[in-house]
Structure formats: structure tokens, C-alpha cells
Amino acid sequence: MFSTQFLDLPPLDSASGTVRLPGSKSISNRVLLLAALCAGTTTVCDLLDSDDTRVMLDALRALGCGVRHHDAAVEITGLGGHPPASHARLFLGNAGTAMRPLTAALALMGGEFELSGVARMHERPIGDLVDALRQLGCDIQYTGVQGYPPLRVGRPALKLDAPIRVRGDVSSQFLTALLLALPLVARQDIVIEVVGELISKPYVEITLNLLARFGINVEREGWSKFTIRAGAAYRSPGEIHVEADASSASYFIALGAIASPPGQGMRLRIEGVGEDSIQGDIRFIEAARQMGATITGFANAIEVRRGAWPLKALDLDCNHIPDAAMTLAVMALYADGTTTLRNIASWRVKETDRLAAMWKELRKLGASVEIGADFIRVTPPVQWNAASIHTYDDHRIAMCFSLAAFNPARVAVRIEDPKCVAKTFPDYFETLFTVVQARAQDIPVICLDGPTASGKGTLAAELAHRLGYHYLDSGALYRVTAFAALRAGLELDASNESAIAAMAQTLPVRFIGGRVLLDEFDVTDAIRSEEGGMNASKVSVLPAVRTALVALQHSFARLPGLVADGRDMGTVIFPDAPLKVYLTASAAQRAQRRHKQLISKGIPATIDILRADLEARDARDMNRATAPLKPAQDALLLDNSGQSVEESVAQVFEWWVARQAIGKS
């Protein structure tokens, strides 16, 4: 998961391949609660691993449920109708799918409970649910602002003889919470009456479908009256599989509709959910088809490719796909006219006020946008702008705006706080980068060159981490090549030049957290030895090996970007890199650094000898015939003799940000 301050998306071109989606958040948290309310153990397969499900699992543990992770499944040992732990303080983050149903269940079972969340959760209304529960005699008190969490729940004096009235025009989660909890006390028929038009009906359909899987058949009259019959009781299905998230599928369906196909017959395949999904957001497929996408549905997969281009503008009532409709708002940027999305008032009470947020962020990109109480109207940009998208700690804003990177103006898009996707899809951006393609010249590369012991490796690794970019230690590649060749039984001489070069072309090497991995084996210490350095020198004089390693180094330039350190990154390997930095630390300062490192490892050393060795190495590197050590003509010089690593990273980071033509949020 990217945990950087921001993530810059370069211009993207095409998309193809296969995406396996994570489990549905809506299904996952419903299933977890239902399993907790049953007797015995329920095995939940393909559960979403995200912030929202983690807070639900933590809450269930605190209430006395057994929670056991077993391979890719989670086993929940339920309460079986028995009272939960009588005292608990539950922190539920920003998970409405945990806060609302847990409030209802605990209010009916009784005890002493406190339910709270992050600041935004305390701004999300819950008054209509509390009012409905109080009709039943539940004891619920607000400990902050009236109508909003946090809450304190006590012991009820239940009255079940009259119909329970709950508003349906604010959030369907209020009705869902009642439907999930009321079977606990169904000693007689219980009737729920919905006041006003029920929004987000597909989410209530999910609830009814899952209740049936757990033995509760709810009768309904339209969408206004629901009846739970006397004697209803939860029964565990034993094992239940969680569908992939249809809301998350919307981003990749849109991606397939927007991105140019890379070749004849190529398309984007989305696995884990099909057109027969129980999730309402699967109907996003219908809207995408209306806009021009070519979509083929399968039992548990969807294939998408671009059809009409530009996309077709539409005017759509989105009550049936409230979350996925956000994706349509970004697709509208690529349409042939103005798109209007209606009946989306629920956007205002989600993780943020999504209507206001979408209005502001779409305008940054150059779109004309109008919003009202329950609609948004989007007209594509006449001129696209590079923009820094503020995400409001809202996972869906971060994910849907990633699609703006396919803009025809080829301007970059910055996603602020990308880690907010952890709420439902922690690996969203990593998944995105496995199926999208960009032109080689559009993938950003930062080159850090300099003499031995100048600190370029530490600086480059820290900078890559801060930007979320890949990292290349070019010097280590020669050491790894020598190590791999010797492991394969090849002597490091000209007689094996072709074989070593062939091996170097596809060397499976990665640099992660300061470690060097070869075939998933950590070879850091082995290649950093004095012998490793000598072996690297032997392979570096073989022309075919050098050529092969140039190609390998180019392959490290992958989305979202690369930080490469070495001695010829800016002059030979990546001459067109948009930022090149050359470190100019003095030999005296570098000798002191090297001395400190060696002494810390218990290796005796003398500063004067180290300095002489470094000066001799500098002379050899500067005068070698192939790729001599020198700054690129357009490199920025950085004398880090008196700087800490943090100061050097901050300086290069500042230079990089200044070079990006991305507006401030």
C-alpha cells in the first residue's frame, strides 16, 4: 500500500490484463456480524482485508466472539444469542457498515457499551436509527453532538408490539442495521415501516439475501414494509464466500472503457464478480454500456474494452448505484457532452460530503461542474489542467480520480494521501499499475550520480520511499550478476561472457527496504563483501555483460516512477530523465563517513588511508574509457558534505516537486 504524502500518476495510455478484486466491503461486514450472532463457527472465505473489516473484527473480539485466521479464511465463533461481553468500548474508525449495525445489535442485546470513531464518523448522522431503536425501548445516549456518534448504549426495556418506523431517505444503512439486529428479539412478528423513499435499495437487497443465507427470511411489501416472523433464528451456513467488491469493479470497468486497447483483441478482464452478483453496484455495467463500453459478462468475471469514443454523455437516476456513480462522474470527463447524475443526495453523508468534493476536484481538472441537493452535472474540460486531487480521507475519491490520468492533454494527476484506499482496497494502486501502460518517456525517472561513498544509495532509497517510486542500485547489479554467475558454476572470465550476459538480461533482482533480493533470496550481505566487489569488477569489464545490464536497468523504469543511483545514470542510462542530481561531497567528508561505518561494524580503519583510496578510486572512475564519472550537463549539483540524509532527501524532494507542473489543492 502506498503510504506517501502523495502519488503522482504520469500520463497513461492503455490497459490490458487481468485484475482479481478484493472482497466486497458491504458483504464482508454484514457477514461478520451475522456470523457473530449465530451459534457455532462460521468460516468466511475471501473476506476483504481492509480498515473497515479490521475494526469490525476488533469489535467482535472485544464482544467475546472467537476470531481465528486460517489461511485465506476467517473463522468466527458466534455468540449464539447469548449476551456479549457486558462492557466494551468500541472504536469503529470511519466504518458506517460497522457503526450502524453494531449500534442496533448491542442496543437490543443490552449491556454497557461505548461506540466511537474518527472525527468524520462523528459528523455522519445516526439520529434516524437511534430514534427507531428508542421506539423499541432501547437505551441509547449521545455523548457528543445530538444525532451523531459517539454513543453510549445501555440495557433496553423492549416494546415490540407496534411497527418500527425508520427514515429511508438518508441512508439505507439504518434499515439494514434494524434488519440485521431484530431477529435477535423476534419473539413475535416484528414490522419495520420505511418513512419516505428508500434510497440505495440494492444495498438492502444485499442484506436480505445474506439474511436468507443465515436462516432469516424477511417478508417485504415493496420497499416500504418489512416483516420478521416470530421465532426467526440465526443459523450458520457453516461456510460462506464473499463476492468481490462490485463498487471496486467500477474503476476497472471504467478503465477498460477509457483506455486505448494496446493491441488487436486485447481487453481488461475483472475476476471475482459477475453480472449475476447480489450487489447492486454491479448495475454500473448498464451505465458503462450506455456510455459506450463494450462489456462481456461471465459467471464470475467481466471483460471490458473501449467501444464508443468519446464516451456518450448520459442523464441517469443513480439511486441504484450510489457509490459506483462517483466513477461515472469521472468517466463524464471523457464524454461527448454534459452528463447529469441524479438522486445522489446520500453522497453528502458518506466518508465526506462527496457532492461538494467532486464539484471541487473535477473543476481543478478543467471540467465545468454544477451540483444541487441531489445531483451533479459534469461537462468535459475544454482544456485539461494538471491537478493535485485532495482526497478527504475518502477511498472512493482517490480511486475514481486515478482514471483522470488517461486525459488527452497528457498532463499528470497527483493523488493526495493515497493510503486512504485502505478502507476498502489497500492494494488498489499496485493493482492498477499491473494492467495499465504508459509511454517509456512518460515514466518519471530521477537520477542520482556521484563518487563512491557520497551517500547516493541511502539518499536514493529514502527518496524512492518518500515518492512511492521503484529504486535501482545500479552498482549492486554488477555484484549480483557476479554472484548469480558463480552460483550457476560460471567462471568470471571472457570464456563465459555470452552465458553471463544472457543471465544478466533477465536477472530476477529487487531492491526492497535497503535489502537486495535475488530470486526472493536476500543476498545483501553476500554481495557487499570485499570479495563481492572484486567479482563485480571482473564482470564489469565484459562488454556483452555491460550491454545486457544497460537493458536490465532500463526495465526498472516502471510505473509510477524510478529513482536510480550510480555513476552514469544521468549521462548514459537515463539521459532524458527529468531530474538529474550529482553529489559532490568532498573526499575528506566521504572518508569520515566510511570510517564511521567501518568502525561501527568492528572493522579497523584509518581515515587517511580511506581518503587516499577514495581519491584514487575517483581518478580511475573519472578517466575510464566507458561511461566516465561526471555530472550530466543538465544535472543539479548537491554538495551534501555538511548535510544529514534527511536534509539531502528534503532538498532533492523539493527540486522534484518544483519540476512537476501540478497545481496545488
Side-chain angles (χ1 to χ4, degrees):
M1 181 179 68
F2 286 90
S3 57
T4 54
Q5 176 184 344
F6 59 79
L7 179 62
D8 285 343
L9 302 178
L12 301 176
D13 283 308
S14 58
S16 64
T18 299
V19 171
R20 181 74 187 184
L21 296 173
S24 161
K25 176 191 72 170
S26 297
I27 295 177
S28 291
N29 269 356
R30 284 168 171 81
V31 165
L32 288 177
L33 181 58
L34 288 167
L37 299 178
C38 290
T41 297
T42 303
T43 300
V44 183
C45 303
D46 302 320
L47 183 75
L48 170 66
D49 180 16
S50 73
D51 288 349
D52 279 18
T53 53
R54 291 185 198 118
V55 298
M56 178 63 97
L57 287 168
D58 288 344
L60 298 184
R61 290 187 187 97
L63 294 171
C65 293
V67 178
R68 180 172 176 264
H69 292 269
H70 182 69
D71 296 330
V74 178
E75 295 178 352
I76 305 296
T77 301
L79 300 170
H82 301 294
S86 58
H87 303 272
R89 301 179 65 180
L90 307 179
F91 177 79
L92 301 173
N94 199 11
T97 55
M99 173 66 77
R100 275 77 178 261
L102 277 171
T103 296
L106 295 177
L108 290 170
M109 287 189 284
E112 295 180 12
F113 306 105
E114 295 180 21
L115 295 86
S116 65
V118 299
R120 174 58 187 170
M121 176 59 78
H122 297 170
E123 297 172 350
R124 299 177 67 178
I126 200 170
D128 292 305
L129 174 61
V130 171
D131 289 346
L133 290 167
R134 284 175 171 174
Q135 295 173 44
L136 301 173
C138 293
D139 178 13
I140 307 175
Q141 304 299 323
Y142 299 110
T143 60
V145 178
Q146 291 291 304
Y148 299 86
L151 305 172
R152 181 178 296 115
V153 175
R155 300 185 183 279
L158 292 177
K159 300 172 292 184
L160 303 171
D161 51 340
I164 304 157
R165 296 169 62 83
V166 62
R167 284 182 62 184
D169 57 355
V170 176
S171 173
S172 65
Q173 288 183 6
F174 300 156
L175 175 58
T176 280
L178 292 171
L179 289 169
L180 293 173
L182 285 169
L184 292 169
V185 292
R187 292 181 288 274
Q188 62 192 71
D189 289 355
I190 300 177
V191 176
I192 306 171
E193 294 180 350
V194 177
V195 180
E197 182 187 1
L198 178 62
I199 64 172
S200 305
K201 296 180 183 70
Y203 287 104
V204 177
E205 286 189 297
I206 292 175
T207 302
L208 297 175
N209 186 296
L210 293 174
L211 280 166
R213 294 287 305 276
F214 282 82
I216 307 295
N217 293 302
V218 179
E219 299 173 12
R220 70 177 177 90
E221 297 177 19
W223 295 101
S224 61
K225 184 177 180 180
F226 299 80
T227 302
I228 300 168
R229 292 300 178 190
Y234 287 116
R235 295 192 304 275
S236 171
E239 180 176 288
I240 187 167
H241 288 257
V242 176
E243 280 186 6
D245 189 62
S247 300
S248 296
S250 73
Y251 312 117
F252 293 97
I253 294 169
L255 174 63
I258 291 169
S260 299
Q264 186 68 27
M266 299 296 286
R267 63 188 62 199
L268 188 63
R269 183 177 174 87
I270 303 158
E271 295 186 342
V273 65
E275 286 197 81
D276 60 351
S277 168
I278 66 171
Q279 300 168 73
D281 272 350
I282 200 63
R283 293 179 63 188
F284 178 86
I285 289 175
E286 300 168 10
R289 283 179 173 140
Q290 288 182 51
M291 295 191 79
T294 299
I295 302 173
T296 304
F298 301 91
N300 200 41
I302 305 162
E303 289 187 354
V304 190
R305 60 182 174 85
R306 184 196 274 192
W309 193 258
L311 296 175
K312 300 173 184 177
L314 52 73
D315 189 321
L316 185 67
D317 183 323
C318 295
N319 181 52
H320 61 300
I321 51 169
D323 285 343
M326 294 177 67
T327 312
L328 293 176
V330 178
M331 290 178 72
L333 296 171
Y334 302 95
D336 58 4
T338 298
T339 291
T340 302
L341 309 177
R342 305 181 187 277
N343 210 352
I344 51 173
S346 63
W347 280 17
R348 292 200 183 275
V349 295
K350 296 290 187 174
E351 283 78 349
T352 189
D353 181 342
R354 287 175 170 169
L355 268 171
M358 295 298 283
W359 174 83
K360 182 176 181 180
E361 304 310 315
L362 287 165
R363 282 164 48 95
K364 287 180 185 177
L365 292 163
S368 297
V369 187
E370 179 187 354
I371 59 173
D374 68 345
F375 74 88
I376 187 168
R377 187 170 290 121
V378 182
T379 303
V382 175
Q383 178 177 333
W384 283 78
N385 304 319
S388 183
I389 303 299
H390 186 61
T391 51
Y392 308 87
D393 195 27
D394 189 330
H395 55 131
R396 300 212 181 278
I397 289 178
M399 291 187 279
C400 69
F401 273 97
S402 67
L403 301 171
F406 286 90
N407 64 83
R410 310 195 68 77
V411 295
V413 175
R414 174 171 295 163
I415 304 296
E416 299 174 14
D417 187 29
K419 68 178 180 297
C420 68
V421 300
K423 182 175 177 67
T424 52
F425 200 160
D427 297 328
Y428 171 75
F429 288 105
E430 291 87 344
T431 303
L432 179 71
F433 293 142
T434 65
V435 293
V436 298
Q437 294 84 38
R439 299 186 308 182
Q441 61 265 37
D442 287 330
I443 298 176
V445 177
I446 301 173
C447 296
L448 296 176
D449 289 319
T452 299
S454 59
K456 58 185 180 292
T458 302
L459 170 55
E462 288 295 323
L463 183 64
H465 177 72
R466 186 166 178 178
L467 290 169
Y469 284 2
H470 299 284
Y471 167 56
L472 166 62
D473 177 352
S474 64
L477 288 183
Y478 288 92
R479 293 172 178 260
V480 175
T481 299
F483 178 89
L486 290 172
R487 190 176 64 173
L490 300 173
E491 293 293 329
L492 306 180
D493 55 35
S495 66
N496 291 308
E497 181 175 356
S498 296
I500 298 173
M503 178 183 296
Q505 287 178 341
T506 58
L507 205 62
V509 60
R510 295 189 299 147
F511 304 98
I512 299 178
R515 311 302 292 175
V516 183
L517 303 182
L518 176 65
D519 275 331
E520 304 304 323
F521 292 101
D522 189 334
V523 297
T524 309
D525 296 334
I527 67 169
R528 296 299 184 194
S529 66
E530 183 175 350
E531 181 183 5
M534 294 174 61
N535 290 335
S537 298
K538 293 178 182 179
V539 298
S540 68
V541 300
L542 303 175
V545 174
R546 293 190 63 86
T547 299
L549 288 180
V550 167
L552 181 63
Q553 289 171 90
H554 286 159
S555 73
F556 276 82
R558 300 188 298 272
L559 291 168
L562 173 68
V563 180
D565 87 72
R567 296 184 179 86
D568 58 0
M569 294 296 97
T571 54
V572 175
I573 307 301
F574 299 107
D576 297 323
L579 177 62
K580 303 166 190 172
V581 176
Y582 187 86
L583 302 183
T584 62
S586 66
Q589 181 62 38
R590 287 183 283 136
Q592 290 180 2
R593 291 175 180 168
R594 179 61 61 84
H595 181 262
K596 184 177 180 180
Q597 290 174 346
L598 294 174
I599 294 300
S600 68
K601 296 178 181 179
I603 303 173
T606 304
I607 290 182
D608 290 341
I609 294 176
L610 291 173
R611 177 174 178 175
D613 287 344
L614 288 171
E615 289 174 338
R617 176 69 177 269
D618 290 348
R620 289 195 303 271
D621 288 342
M622 291 176 183
N623 293 295
R624 63 188 181 188
T626 303
L629 174 64
K630 63 179 181 180
Q633 289 187 345
D634 55 347
L636 299 178
L637 303 183
L638 176 61
D639 184 351
N640 66 346
S641 299
Q643 287 185 328
S644 66
V645 172
E646 292 76 16
E647 289 170 332
S648 296
V649 171
Q651 177 62 78
V652 180
F653 183 83
E654 180 181 334
W655 284 340
W656 178 245
V657 171
R659 295 221 171 173
Q660 307 309 297
I662 298 179
K664 301 294 183 182
S665 62

